[in-house]
Structures are given as structure tokens and as C-alpha cells.
Amino acid sequence: MTQNPSGQVCPNCDGHPSVAITLGGRDHNGHLRTITAYCPACHGTGIRRVRRTIVASAGR
């Protein structure tokens, strides 16, 4: 896991943004078939995304 100096770890994946999932069985070379799945909340970064809204101020 990469070091996150800000301490803003994604609460959905706890900082483990990608995993290898076995599909069961092996290919013709004997290798285990896997796919990589990424956390949908942080898009594979492991860092919590903070939503910021910009408030427009009224002109004077």
C-alpha cells in the first residue's frame, strides 16, 4: 500500500484500492486466470475524494 501522508484513506477500501480476483481454472499454459478490480469510490487511488462546492458570491 502506498503511503498517504494526509491520512485521507478511502473508507470503502481502507487504502487497498485494487484486488486480483481469480476466475477459477487455468489457461492453456497453466497460469491462474485473474482480473483486477478497482474500488469504485476512489477509482483505484486509495485516497478519499473530498467533494468541494464552489459558492458564487453576489456581486456588489
Side-chain angles (χ1 to χ4, degrees):
M1 177 170 56
T2 59
Q3 295 294 324
N4 186 356
S6 66
Q8 302 255 338
V9 177
C10 175
N12 294 331
C13 66
D14 290 329
H16 298 281
S18 62
V19 295
I21 300 172
T22 60
L23 297 175
R26 298 184 178 264
D27 63 9
H28 64 282
N29 292 326
H31 298 125
L32 190 62
R33 297 184 310 162
T34 61
I35 59 171
T36 304
Y38 297 100
C39 174
C42 66
H43 303 285
T45 62
I47 300 171
R48 178 175 36 168
R49 293 182 181 255
V50 179
R51 293 188 181 184
R52 298 177 189 209
T53 57
I54 299 173
V55 178
S57 61
R60 292 184 185 186

